[in-house]
Structures are given as C-alpha cells and as structure tokens.
Amino acid sequence: MYALRREVAVDHRTGGTHVDAVPAADTAVGPYGFDPFSVRKIDKLPLPVKSAPGFLVNAVLAPYMLAAMQAVDRGIAPESIDAALLAFGMPMGPIELIDTVGLDIAMAAGQQLAGGAQAPRCLQERVARQQLGKKTGQGFYTWSDGKPQKGPAPAAPAGLAEELVAPLIERTQRLVAEGIVADAELADAGVIFGTGFAPFTGGPLHWQGSRH
C-alpha cells in the first residue's frame, strides 16, 4: 500500500494542505495504490507521488522563495515583492511566507532543495542575527500581534510576478517529467491545494501552457 505523508501547510489562511501518498513495498490497494476515500475523510487532497526530496509542494516552493530573496538582494523592497505576488493571485506573498515558515527553516530547506544555489545575502544576514521571522518577532518584517508590519510598497518592476513564479513552474515541469508526479493535472491540483497558487490560473502548468 502507500505511506501517507503530509506536506507542510504553507497557506495558513486557507489551511491548504494535502497528503502525499508515497508507494510502500507491500501490496497496493486500488488503482492508486491507496484508498483515496480514507484520505478524503481527513479533508485532504490525496496526491500520489514518488518519494523524492520535498515531494511536490516543498520542492516547488524552494526555488520560488529563493527567487524572491534574490530579488531582495537586488534591492527590491519585500513589500513590493509581496504586493506583486498578491496581485498575481497568491494568498500570501513569498517574503511574508518565508517569515511565517521561519528563516532558519527556509535556510535548511534551501540547502536541500535549491539545487546547490548559494543562500541569498539577505537570508544569511538575518539568520546570523537570529532574526528568524514571525517566531522571533523580526525577520524581513517586524511582527506584532501575529501580523507583519509592512511599510508602503514601492512600484514593483514590470513582470516581477512572472519572473518569480517561473522557477516554481520549471520545478513542477521537472517533477512531472521525472515521474515524481504522474501527470500535469495532478501536479497543478497539488500545487493549488498545497501552496494556494492562484487558483483561477488552473495551476502553474496550465497557466504556462495557456500563455503560449
């Protein structure tokens, strides 16, 4: 059958979690190798995946968050980055997401999932100062009463949102090509349910295909 593994909830406003169903060594149950009705009883999307670092959601979020922090290193304000992705349709901007997850967690995840890319300077400096985000009250934002205190958002460069979601899309495409996720429709559903990726787009792969 399948072992059920739950991805980290990243959309804290909608509870956007799902369950990864990872093949185990014993006998499969049903056409998916697990009982999808049992998973639905716990109100999660059953997503069959092969075992791989980050599975689906964490694997696609890592390059997306990396790109957002690289934009900070280039001098773009965190508020502008978050505003651009909120306008794109994300439930939470990537910089606020990093603060919410924890900068130390983002650093550790990046070492495993970012393809060997060096940690952004803005992340290294804050982690060195123990400014780890929401849990310490200071990260990219100052946090008060559980909310980030954001300043005005200067106008973001044209095309910033598309630039930052591009690594997420590329990683999703690769996971499908490598057979970690069976097909594009399942990948799109998993990314929407797991990350809150702008649902009106139909998912990252559907959105990318509709643009060409």
Side-chain angles (χ1 to χ4, degrees), residues 135-179:
K135 60 188 172 186
T136 62
Q138 181 67 52
F140 287 96
Y141 300 114
T142 298
W143 288 76
S144 178
D145 296 324
K147 297 181 179 179
Q149 306 305 300
K150 297 184 180 184
L160 179 65
E162 290 79 3
E163 173 191 337
L164 298 188
V165 299
L168 182 155
I169 294 168
E170 291 169 5
R171 181 63 59 86
T172 307
Q173 289 172 326
R174 194 166 83 194
L175 291 172
V176 173
E178 293 174 352

Side-chain angles (χ1 to χ4, degrees), residues 5-11 16-20 45 47 49-50 52-65 97 101 109 113 168 171-172 175 180-181 186-197:
R5 304 195 182 188
R6 179 177 169 179
E7 288 277 11
V8 175
V10 294
D11 180 359
T17 60
H18 69 278
V19 169
D20 285 313
L45 171 71
L47 179 68
V49 298
K50 291 183 179 178
F55 300 102
L56 174 63
V57 171
N58 292 336
V60 303
L61 280 177
Y64 167 64
M65 294 192 296
L97 173 61
V101 170
L113 300 172
L168 182 155
R171 181 63 59 86
T172 307
L175 291 172
I180 305 301
V181 184
L186 278 173
D188 277 340
V191 175
I192 289 174
F193 277 86
T195 75
F197 187 95

